[in-house]
């Protein structure tokens, strides 16, 4: 039986690290954890290239500076770590005490000195990664509750973090591009947008025609929007339209992703 390049690389790494190293449990969601870890490295690279003097500039998110985005990504790692504590111990540990507490935390974090803000991101992501690595096999299927109130298995935290780090790297507005995203991640992000719309029962009449991918028809079809998959995903996730064409000449208004 053939193995993937990633599986082969993982096996080689384990051999180099020796018997004393610790690894994700066999029941861990390997693909999503790989996306999350690669996305964390991508966000870190964009952040490292961002001078302290430019942290106060606006992000792509209305009302948020780049500082707010960095604080949010850092505190999100801590919140997901709390869910893993819930999964591991069985003691209910919510992501946030309340929406108001979450918002206040981000506002406070955005005022941190630049060095402390960068440390918040780096320290919290290490803590989250250790929590993933040490989560027992059975705990990955334990039910936890998201900030939106959905009950999900703890393995969902890997996908939740994947979205955060990759897409918020775009929000820093400092050179990140969906053209840097792994192709299979782009496919899943497109599917996630559609799942969100369906969950909220949004009425959407739209045909999505990404180059090289299957056309997606929503509702009555509506206008056809075409472009590369990275550009389509950027638009669908609310991060702006670039190099897209519409059969009606203008891009339609679409519902929000989150």
């Amino acid at each position: 039986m053939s193995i993937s390049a990633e599986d082969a690389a993982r096996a080689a790494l384990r051999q180099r690290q020796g018997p004393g190293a610790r690894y994700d449990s066999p029941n861990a969601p390997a693909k999503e954890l790989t996306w999350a870890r690669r996305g964390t490295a991508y966000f870190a690279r964009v952040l490292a290239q961002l001078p302290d003097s430019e942290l106060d500039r606006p992000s792509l998110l209305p009302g948020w500076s780049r500082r707010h985005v960095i604080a949010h990504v850092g505190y999100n790692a801590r919140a997901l770590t709390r869910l893993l504590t819930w999964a591991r111990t069985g003691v209910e540990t919510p992501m946030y005490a309340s929406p108001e507490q979450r918002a206040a935390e981000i506002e406070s974090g955005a005022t941190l000195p630049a060095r402390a803000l960068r440390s918040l991101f780096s320290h919290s992501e290490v803590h989250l990664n250790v929590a993933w690595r040490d989560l027992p096999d059975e705990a990955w299927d334990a039910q936890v509750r998201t900030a939106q109130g959905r009950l999900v298995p703890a393995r969902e935290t890997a996908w939740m973090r994947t979205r955060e780090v990759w897409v918020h790297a775009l929000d820093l507005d400092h050179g990140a591009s969906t053209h840097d995203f792994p192709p299979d991640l782009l496919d899943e992000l497109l599917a996630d947008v559609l799942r969100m719309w369906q969950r909220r029962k949004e009425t959407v009449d739209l045909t999505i025609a990404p180059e090289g991918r299957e056309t997606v028809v929503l509702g009555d079809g509506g206008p056809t929007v075409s472009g590369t998959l990275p550009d389509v995903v950027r638009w669908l996730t609310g991060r702006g339209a670039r190099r897209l064409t519409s059969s009606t000449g203008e891009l339609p208004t679409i519902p929000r992703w989150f």
Side-chain angles (χ1 to χ4, degrees), residues 66-256:
R66 287 163 168 167
R67 286 178 164 277
H68 288 87
V69 173
I70 299 163
H72 167 61
V73 171
Y75 288 127
N76 171 263
R78 290 186 177 176
L80 292 176
T81 301
R82 287 192 282 271
L83 290 188
L84 297 175
T85 299
W86 181 350
R88 179 172 50 81
T89 65
V91 177
E92 183 170 351
T93 313
M95 292 183 70
Y96 306 100
S98 67
E100 293 76 19
Q101 177 266 325
R102 173 183 175 273
E105 186 175 58
I106 294 170
E107 287 295 335
S108 176
T111 68
L112 290 170
R115 186 172 180 178
L117 188 60
R118 294 177 189 274
S119 293
L120 168 63
F121 166 74
S122 59
H123 292 173
S124 62
E125 67 92 357
V126 168
H127 191 190
L128 174 60
N129 198 44
V130 169
W132 275 331
R133 185 195 62 196
D134 291 346
L135 197 66
D137 219 41
E138 67 281 359
W140 282 105
D141 295 312
Q143 294 288 299
V144 295
R145 194 179 303 277
T146 70
Q148 291 74 39
R150 290 194 306 124
L151 277 175
V152 299
R155 63 181 55 254
E156 185 78 6
T157 59
W159 173 241
M160 292 164 68
R161 186 60 174 175
T162 294
R163 292 182 308 208
E164 293 287 333
V165 287
W166 284 102
V167 177
H168 283 316
L170 300 176
D171 294 330
L172 290 177
D173 197 20
H174 196 70
S177 169
T178 45
H179 286 266
D180 298 331
F181 290 20
D184 56 350
L185 172 59
L186 290 168
D187 287 328
E188 189 59 29
L189 284 169
L190 189 156
D192 194 72
V193 172
L194 303 186
R195 285 194 297 267
M196 289 289 191
W197 289 352
Q198 184 178 41
R199 190 175 297 146
R200 296 200 305 266
K201 296 181 171 55
E202 300 279 6
T203 300
V204 183
D205 297 319
L206 177 66
T207 298
I208 305 168
E211 295 173 10
R213 293 295 195 278
E214 185 176 347
T215 296
V216 178
V217 179
L218 303 176
D220 294 333
T224 298
V225 174
S226 306
T228 66
L229 181 60
D231 290 332
V232 168
V233 168
R234 185 183 184 99
W235 175 62
L236 290 174
T237 56
R239 267 61 191 183
R242 298 181 179 179
R243 299 174 290 270
L244 298 178
T245 60
S246 171
S247 60
T248 60
E250 292 186 5
L251 292 174
T253 300
I254 55 175
R256 61 182 175 85

